[in-house]
């Protein structure tokens, strides 16, 4: 029997950056907000004294338990998808704060080009530059319109950084200066400057100094403790929802975060969402939480799956290329983050020290910052050197040609433990009609609901761009003076490894309801009181990390939700365009 | 799964020693009473063949006993295999001295070995090759980021009905079987180069390992061996932080705020989670 609860103004599914920002903004505006989180209730105390590489990096302590639910994966439409069974193969956030707690903190705005990619590409290179199979589209919002939301999110998060010398308009500086540097980061900065590029420090959610954000939340200075990516911060020095937006929401008295609440359906009647159905994971009881507005902020996979399970919106059908839910699944997988590793015979770096977003980058080969007339791809990516602080288990880098085990492996892996650096290309990925999400016909979760199925393959665009990025990374690594430089190889095909949580799309935003699911307030075209927030809204992936854009969009959505609660209705008028996809 | 007892020992005349060491016979049900069992244990105590069994000099020795692997033979195969993957040399201690076999045994007894947090619902693809699926053409890890430096997981990745504990039991016994069939001796009695050859056969998928694929097992073994060498000593490996000392890795530290900018390389005496938590 389903227990029906009292109605609230807004129910939010998920408590990461997306759900956290919406919860804070709506509860600050005076609305009653309940956020439902499938994972545990955690606080900073849960992360104090747990600097344990085996448990967190290798056994994925903070990631979703897959025993009850995972995704299935295949490359081609005529294949049987197989479940992605282990946490080594798929990382998804869970627990209060979600994946936004174990993120590393590298924080990038996306470019004007990214938001209007289709028109700008056609404008500069002509329509032919876009391959027929590629389904990239404009977001229905411009960078100039996004800028205030980026600005707000950066201030909330206390981002520490310096402006990109060839970057775009900013209404204000980062709220905090860049973090301290290190010799390896300096080497990258100096070398690339000499090469004529425009390096700058990676803007970070690891705070360079103590900071109080506009909501009054205090954060500490980063200790460069090295246990950052895959971990919660010991010190409250990494910007995450647990130290920012969730306490802000809590303080209003209008907010409740309910953990152990696994949402299984959006309830829907007559063109309106009426609430959500969830199961208490401790008792097994089923609850209905009615609300005036339903916000899905449960990350790409769940956002898509809940809509498909709830039969809301038209599912994308690759055969007819119609429908919207699941369309344009896009992501940064292993083909992204390829580059070159350099080994220094006589130089040692304190590479066991670091922080999630300690590093330097350049955007000379990002977006449309370089001429694409003579390359066989569009878009690009940042080039980065990051000093996360290497763990002992992870650091077994050996020059190519060294066997993978045995005496020689041991000798080289120990010798090079603090003598190797990597430079990589964080390239963009474009959307294609054949990369999409739907429900799996065979595999189910512990409630016997179908799992989400991913169909994804690499394309020439991906492989060509990766090759280009590897080449640039190698040149930089050579100029940095490495004695041995090993290039990564470009993979032939996608390997069903989902790490790093850079997966997006499926509930994308746009201007045309025929090719997008949500408008530029992330409000569903066909359901006025349903907002779908997060990377699921990206029509394609830019050549940088996603989270600042997730945060900015969450502010945009919050504004829309307030607007809807006051005035009702569809906030944007859809444009029917008759281009085929 | 019944072990196949090989003809090798019988042909060469069964000495008491080979008799006892033949796990096939043990599995066959000869061992019922305590007498034989005691004999067996005695045998190991009198003739320690691997450093793992003599732990007087190593601290924490009392905390070492098998909690997952039942057969001492299996444990000896595991020990010998990890030592080849991560041998003792002039750089520093090898897997056995670091406690890696005990580390692995503990890991197999826990969440990881039981696949407690993995999706283990069927249907399982029983014949991956025939399913024509998932780019079987090779090991895609040779193509991924920093490929040469990662422990690979062959595609189509984990699709086995067996959990890791079961895979290890199967795999270790198969190592021994292959040794006897192809090299005429138990794995632990083979010369190191021959042991490497056996392991390489697993690495290159030249051995049939039912339901898993031998390279899958091999890479799991390699991964967990490296983990055992370098994980916090609280898990039973990286004995006395010797792995970290070798690598000049300091262990978990509160802060590098004062040293992050330092130009020179800083070597610190390592500290463990126990030091870090301070209790
Ligand atoms: C190791 C790692 C490092 C990263 N580093 C960076 C970086 O440096 N820079 C960067 O930009 N990005 C980084 N990311 C990506 C970043 O974590 C994500 O972009 C970000 O966390 C997404 O925020 P979100 O709010 O959309 O999702 P999440 O933070 O994952 O929040 C979603 C929440 O929804 C909950 N949920 C899901 N399904 C349900 C359900 N059915 N019922 C109830 N609750 C549900 C989840 O438990 C989760 O708490 C990293 C990711 C990982 C894994
Ligand atoms: S490196 Fe800095 S931000 Fe990251 S966990 Fe350590 S103190 Fe926190």
């Amino acid at each position: 029997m389903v227990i029906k609860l009292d109605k609230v103004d807004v129910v939010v599914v998920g408590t990461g950056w997306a759900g956290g920002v919406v919860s804070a903004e709506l509860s600050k505006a005076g609305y009653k907000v309940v956020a439902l989180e499938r994972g545990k209730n955690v606080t900073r105390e849960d992360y104090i004294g747990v600097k344990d590489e085996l448990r967190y990096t290798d056994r994925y302590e903070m990631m979703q338990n897959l025993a009850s639910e995972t995704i299935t994966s295949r490359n081609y439409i005529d294949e049987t998808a197989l479940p992605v069974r282990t946490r080594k193969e798929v990382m998804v956030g869970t627990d209060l704060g979600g994946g936004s707690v174990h993120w590393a903190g590298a924080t990038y705005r996306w470019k004007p080009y990214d938001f209007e990619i289709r028109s700008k590409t056609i404008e500069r290179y002509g329509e032919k530059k876009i391959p027929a199979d590629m389904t990239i589209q404009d977001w229905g919002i411009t960078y100039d319109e996004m800028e205030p939301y980026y600005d707000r999110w950066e201030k909330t998060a206390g981002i520490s950084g310096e402006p990109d010398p060839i970057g775009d308009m900013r209404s204000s500086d980062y709220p905090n200066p860049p973090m301290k540097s290190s010799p390896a980061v300096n080497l990258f900065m100096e070398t690339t400057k000499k090469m004529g590029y425009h390096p700058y420090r990676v803007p970070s959610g690891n705070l360079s100094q103590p900071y109080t954000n506009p909501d009054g939340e205090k954060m500490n200075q980063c200790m460069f403790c090295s246990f950052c990516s895959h971990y919660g911060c010991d010190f409250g020095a990494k910007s995450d929802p647990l130290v920012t937006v969730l306490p802000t929401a809590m303080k209003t008295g209008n907010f409740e975060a309910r953990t152990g609440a696994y949402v299984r359906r959006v309830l829907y009647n007559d063109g309106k969402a009426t609430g959500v159905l969830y199961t208490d994971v401790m008792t097994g009881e089923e609850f209905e939480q009615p609300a005036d507005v339903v916000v899905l902020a449960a990350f790409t996979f769940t956002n898509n799956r809940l809509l498909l399970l709830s039969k809301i919106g038209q599912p994308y059908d690759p055969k007819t290329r119609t429908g919207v839910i699941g369309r344009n699944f896009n992501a940064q997988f292993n083909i992204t983050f390829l580059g070159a590793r350099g080994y220094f015979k006589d130089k040692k770096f304190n590479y066991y020290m670091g922080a999630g977003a300690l590093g330097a980058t350049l955007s000379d080969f990002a977006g449309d910052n370089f001429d694409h007339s003579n390359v066989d791809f569009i878009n690009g990516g940042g080039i980065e050197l990051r000093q996360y602080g290497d763990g002992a288990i992870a650091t077994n880098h050996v020059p190519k040609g060294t066997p993978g085990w045995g005496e020689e492996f041991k000798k080289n892996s120990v010798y090079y433990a603090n003598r190797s650096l990597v430079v990589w290309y964080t390239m963009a990925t474009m959307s294609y009609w054949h990369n999409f999400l739907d429900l799996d016909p065979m595999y189910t979760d512990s409630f016997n609901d179908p799992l989400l199925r991913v169909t994804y393959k690499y394309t020439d665009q991906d492989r060509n761009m990766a090759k280009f990025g590897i080449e640039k990374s190698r040149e930089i690594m050579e100029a940095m003076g490495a004695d041995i430089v090993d290039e990564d190889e470009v993979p032939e095909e996608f390997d069903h490894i989902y790490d790093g949580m850079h997966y997006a799309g499926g509930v994308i935003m746009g201007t045309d309801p025929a090719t997008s699911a949500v408008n530029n307030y992330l409000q569903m075209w066909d359901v006025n009181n349903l907002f779908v927030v997060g990377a699921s809204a990206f029509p394609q992936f830019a050549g940088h990390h996603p989270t600042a854009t997730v945060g900015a969009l969450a502010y945009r959505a919050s504004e829309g939700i307030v607007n809807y609660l006051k005035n009702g209705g569809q906030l944007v008028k859809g444009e029917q365009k008759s281009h085929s996809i | 799964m019944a072990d196949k007892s090989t003809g090798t020992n019988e042909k060469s005349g069964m000495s008491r020693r080979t008799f006892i060491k033949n796990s096939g016979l043990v599995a066959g049900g000869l061992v019922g009473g305590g007498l034989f069992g005691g004999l067996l244990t005695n045998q190991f105590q009198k003739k320690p063949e691997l450093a793992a069994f003599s732990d007087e000099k190593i601290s924490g020795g009392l905390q070492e006993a098998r909690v997952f692997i039942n057969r001492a033979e299996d444990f000896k195969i595991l020990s010998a295999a990890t030592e080849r993957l991560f041998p003792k040399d002039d750089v520093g201690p090898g897997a056995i001295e670091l406690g890696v076999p005990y580390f692995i045994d503990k890991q197999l007894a826990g969440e990881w070995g039981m696949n407690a947090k993995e999706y283990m619902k069927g249907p399982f693809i029983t014949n991956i090759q025939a399913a024509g699926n998932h780019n079987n053409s090779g090991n895609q890890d040779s193509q991924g980021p920093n490929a040469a430096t990662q422990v690979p997981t062959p595609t189509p990745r984990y699709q086995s009905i067996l959990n890791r504990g079961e895979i290890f039991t199967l795999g270790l016994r198969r190592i021994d079987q292959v040794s006897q069939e192809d090299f005429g001796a138990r794995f632990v009695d083979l010369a190191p180069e021959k042991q490497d050859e056996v392991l390489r056969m697993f690495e290159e998928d030249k051995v049939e390992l039912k339901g898993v694929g031998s390279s899958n097992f091999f890479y799991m073994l390699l991964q967990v061996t490296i983990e055992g060498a370098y994980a916090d000593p609280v898990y039973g490996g990286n004995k006395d932080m010797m792995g970290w000392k070798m690598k000049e890795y300091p262990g978990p530290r509160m802060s590098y705020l004062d040293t992050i900018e330092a130009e020179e390389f800083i070597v610190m005496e390592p500290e463990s989670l126990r030091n870090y938590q301070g209790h």
Side-chain angles (χ1 to χ4, degrees):
Chain A
M1 215 202 64
V2 181
I3 302 161
K4 193 163 175 173
L5 303 165
D6 290 341
K7 189 167 161 184
V8 293
D9 296 318
V10 183
V11 65
V12 181
V13 185
T15 57
W17 272 122
V21 166
V22 171
S23 298
E25 291 308 294
L26 270 295
S27 57
K28 271 158 63 184
Y31 296 102
K32 290 276 174 224
V33 181
V34 166
L36 302 172
E37 169 56 53
R38 69 177 165 200
K40 296 189 293 284
N41 182 9
V42 288
T43 68
R44 180 150 82 85
E45 248 187 279
D46 286 291
Y47 303 119
I48 295 178
V50 290
K51 295 182 184 301
D52 181 344
E53 188 186 5
L54 184 73
R55 184 171 166 204
Y56 286 83
T57 306
D58 280 38
R59 301 281 180 266
Y60 310 94
E61 174 71 17
M62 290 179 70
M63 313 294 173
Q64 180 192 357
N65 180 345
L66 302 176
S68 57
E69 180 201 347
T70 184
I71 51 166
T72 67
S73 182
R74 59 179 181 173
N75 295 127
Y76 305 99
I77 289 173
D78 52 6
E79 282 181 341
T80 304
L82 298 180
V84 185
R85 295 187 180 276
T86 71
R87 297 207 282 184
K88 191 177 160 79
E89 300 159 290
V90 59
M91 289 183 196
V92 186
T94 191
D95 299 342
L96 200 65
S100 306
V101 177
H102 55 68
W103 77 313
T107 308
Y108 293 91
R109 292 181 176 199
W110 288 359
K111 304 188 180 319
Y113 166 77
D114 291 314
F115 295 102
E116 298 168 89
I117 189 165
R118 189 169 192 100
S119 357
K120 281 184 189 281
T121 303
I122 293 172
E123 194 181 296
R124 187 166 171 190
Y125 306 103
E127 190 132 21
K128 280 217 199 78
K129 188 76 185 173
I130 302 175
D133 289 347
M134 198 190 267
T135 51
I136 53 170
Q137 60 195 57
D138 295 358
W139 292 53
I141 197 165
T142 63
Y143 173 80
D144 286 353
E145 290 168 298
M146 281 291 282
E147 205 283 336
Y149 306 110
Y150 273 126
D151 190 64
R152 270 193 80 185
W153 185 74
E154 284 168 0
K155 291 197 166 98
T156 303
I159 301 305
S160 305
E162 61 188 3
D164 178 354
I166 54 170
D168 308 296
M169 183 275 287
R170 307 180 51 92
S171 54
S172 61
D173 282 345
Y174 287 104
N176 289 302
M179 313 169 77
K180 282 188 180 194
S181 193
S182 73
V185 174
N186 294 341
L187 180 61
F188 176 88
M189 292 278 289
E190 285 152 19
T191 308
T192 52
K193 226 175 260 171
K194 269 191 223 138
M195 294 171 86
Y197 302 142
H198 300 84
Y200 67 105
R201 301 291 311 287
V202 174
S204 79
N206 320 127
L207 273 77
S208 59
Q209 60 186 17
Y211 175 70
T212 305
N213 82 6
D215 294 316
E217 309 304 338
K218 290 187 169 46
M219 283 170 262
N220 297 315
Q221 179 179 10
C222 170
M223 297 287 122
F224 300 90
C225 76
S226 305
F227 287 82
C228 200
S229 184
H230 295 71
Y231 300 77
C233 177
D234 251 39
F235 305 100
K238 177 164 72 180
S239 188
D240 67 29
L242 297 178
V243 295
T244 56
V245 285
L246 293 176
T248 298
M250 243 36 121
K251 279 191 304 206
T252 63
N254 293 326
F255 174 69
E256 183 197 343
R258 215 171 282 156
T259 50
Y262 180 78
V263 177
R264 296 178 45 216
R265 290 289 185 284
V266 177
L267 302 168
Y268 175 77
N269 186 16
D270 213 10
K272 247 183 118 153
T274 57
V276 298
L277 174 81
Y278 72 90
T279 301
D280 182 324
V281 301
M282 305 282 281
T283 64
E285 288 168 298
E286 290 194 335
F287 293 95
E288 177 183 340
Q289 177 60 66
D292 286 332
V293 169
V294 174
V295 180
L296 298 185
F299 194 62
T300 305
F301 290 155
T302 298
N303 285 358
N304 276 279
R305 184 163 178 253
L306 280 179
L307 291 174
L308 292 167
L309 286 176
S310 312
K311 302 196 185 342
I312 299 176
Q314 196 197 338
Y316 173 69
D317 177 356
K319 294 213 171 68
T320 58
R321 305 196 193 172
T322 55
V324 288
I325 309 299
R327 179 172 181 267
N328 276 29
F329 175 70
N330 63 88
Q332 292 186 309
F333 290 126
N334 271 350
I335 199 163
T336 320
F337 308 104
L338 297 183
R341 182 170 285 279
Y343 296 88
F344 295 76
K345 290 197 168 133
D346 309 309
K347 204 170 172 149
K348 274 170 111 174
F349 301 91
N350 289 308
Y351 228 57
Y352 53 82
M353 304 177 188
L358 171 62
T361 183
L362 51 93
S363 45
D364 298 74
F365 302 106
D368 202 23
N369 287 358
F370 57 109
D371 186 7
H372 285 68
S373 307
N374 295 317
V375 293
D376 39 14
F377 59 86
I378 62 164
N379 215 318
I383 290 190
E384 273 187 350
L385 179 137
R386 300 265 289 274
Q387 183 167 348
Y388 292 89
D390 276 348
I393 302 171
T395 319
N396 290 292
H397 307 300
V398 285
K400 269 187 193 163
T402 307
W405 48 277
E407 221 157 293
E408 198 185 335
F409 164 77
K410 184 183 167 196
K411 199 165 109 280
N412 278 348
S413 61
V414 169
Y415 184 77
Y416 286 112
N418 285 292
R419 287 181 169 94
S420 93
L421 303 179
V422 65
V423 167
W424 62 29
Y425 193 49
T426 66
M427 68 181 221
T429 45
M430 299 298 94
S431 296
Y432 288 82
W433 70 268
H434 50 70
N435 291 343
F436 67 101
L437 304 169
D438 64 358
L439 293 176
D440 192 276
M442 186 144 57
Y443 292 95
T444 57
D445 68 7
S446 49
F447 296 101
N448 276 331
D449 284 328
L451 297 184
L452 189 72
R453 173 170 68 179
V454 180
T455 306
Y456 195 85
K457 62 177 179 177
Y458 292 151
T459 60
D460 287 340
Q461 145 91 18
D462 298 321
R463 288 181 283 257
N464 295 340
M465 194 172 1
K467 229 171 99 203
F468 174 87
I470 291 168
E471 181 66 14
K472 298 292 170 207
S473 305
R474 184 177 56 76
E475 286 165 16
I476 292 171
M477 194 42 92
E478 277 168 2
M480 282 168 65
D483 298 291
I484 304 168
V485 177
D486 283 344
E487 282 184 10
D488 287 328
E489 285 165 42
V490 178
E492 266 310 303
E493 194 44 281
F494 172 53
D495 59 0
H496 313 285
I497 292 283
Y498 295 77
D499 52 9
M501 276 180 77
H502 294 198
Y503 350 114
V507 196
I508 65 174
M509 57 194 276
T511 50
D512 182 352
T515 53
S516 60
V518 294
N519 67 28
N520 63 23
Y521 285 100
L522 311 197
Q523 178 185 34
M524 273 195 83
W525 287 116
D526 10 357
V527 191
N528 290 344
N529 69 336
L530 182 53
F531 290 74
V532 188
V533 188
S536 53
F538 301 172
Q540 54 276 326
F541 219 101
H544 280 307
H545 305 258
T547 305
T549 306
V550 170
L553 285 177
Y555 277 105
R556 170 80 183 174
S558 306
E559 202 177 290
I561 297 164
V562 171
N563 199 333
Y564 169 81
L565 282 164
K566 284 190 181 135
N567 307 313
Q570 182 59 225
L571 302 168
V572 179
K573 205 168 143 10
E575 297 165 25
Q576 294 291 347
K577 280 189 216 132
S578 57
H579 72 78
S580 61
I581 56 166
Chain B
M1 74 216 87
D3 277 355
K4 206 168 88 190
S5 94
T6 65
T8 337
N9 290 328
E10 281 132 56
K11 268 185 219 124
S12 60
M14 200 186 288
S15 72
R16 186 166 156 268
R17 184 154 173 268
T18 49
F19 175 65
I20 289 162
K21 281 176 66 184
N22 190 320
S23 61
L25 289 179
V26 175
L30 274 176
V31 187
L35 178 67
F36 196 89
L39 200 65
L40 201 69
T41 313
N42 251 350
Q43 184 70 17
F44 289 130
Q45 279 164 354
K46 266 186 233 146
K47 292 190 173 173
E49 291 181 13
L50 290 160
F53 290 93
S54 79
D55 50 20
E56 307 96 64
K57 280 185 244 96
I58 304 167
S59 74
L62 286 175
Q63 292 173 330
E64 287 179 342
R66 289 176 277 117
V67 290
F68 175 81
I69 295 176
N70 288 341
R71 299 188 193 168
E73 274 302 335
D74 293 347
F75 191 73
K76 292 172 80 181
I77 298 162
L78 174 69
S79 303
T82 57
E83 186 67 18
R84 289 317 299 154
L85 299 178
F86 200 84
K88 182 178 171 71
D89 58 9
D90 51 7
V91 177
I96 291 176
E97 204 176 331
L98 288 166
V100 169
Y102 284 108
F103 167 88
I104 296 176
D105 179 68
K106 287 192 179 77
Q107 287 295 308
L108 293 174
E111 202 173 75
W112 186 77
M114 295 186 291
N115 293 31
K117 290 185 174 167
E118 323 289 27
Y119 183 79
M120 296 301 281
K121 248 181 127 169
F124 288 88
I125 302 294
T126 43
N127 187 346
I128 232 80
Q129 235 64 30
N133 206 330
H134 284 247
N135 191 26
N136 288 311
S137 59
N139 180 0
Q140 292 174 13
D141 292 279
S142 63
Q143 302 152 331
N146 312 308
T149 66
Q150 302 290 313
V151 176
T153 322
T155 49
R157 315 218 170 246
Y158 208 108
Q159 292 299 337
S160 176
I161 197 166
L162 305 173
N163 68 29
R164 296 186 182 89
E166 290 161 335
I167 291 172
F168 268 71
T169 307
L170 210 61
L172 292 172
R173 290 177 191 170
R174 190 83 175 100
I175 286 180
D176 211 27
Q177 200 180 12
V178 168
S179 304
Q180 296 181 56
E181 280 167 4
D182 289 20
F183 298 90
R186 311 299 301 255
F187 183 72
V188 294
D189 295 332
L190 286 180
E193 310 80 63
K194 296 284 176 218
Q195 290 180 329
D196 287 357
E197 272 183 57
V198 174
L199 291 171
R200 221 166 289 124
M201 286 168 69
F202 277 74
E203 182 182 18
E204 291 165 3
D205 255 332
K206 288 185 180 140
V207 177
E208 203 204 320
L209 192 60
K210 229 177 162 177
V212 192
S214 62
S215 64
N216 262 316
F217 162 64
F218 175 84
Y219 286 119
M220 244 178 251
L221 176 65
L222 178 56
Q223 179 206 346
V224 81
T225 298
I226 290 169
E227 285 169 351
Y230 295 122
D232 195 279
V234 73
Y235 294 103
N238 186 16
K239 185 122 296 180
D240 292 335
M241 299 185 274
M242 285 189 293
W244 287 352
K245 280 176 198 151
M246 184 164 58
K247 232 182 195 179
E248 299 177 314
Y249 179 76
R253 296 291 174 136
M254 191 83 81
S255 168
Y256 296 115
L257 186 63
D258 297 335
T259 42
I260 187 72
E261 293 170 313
E263 291 287 343
E264 74 283 4
F265 187 74
I266 300 171
V267 183
M268 300 178 204
E269 196 54 31
E271 287 180 4
S272 66
L273 259 184
R274 184 166 172 82
N275 304 115
Y276 188 82
Q277 293 174 355
H279 50 77

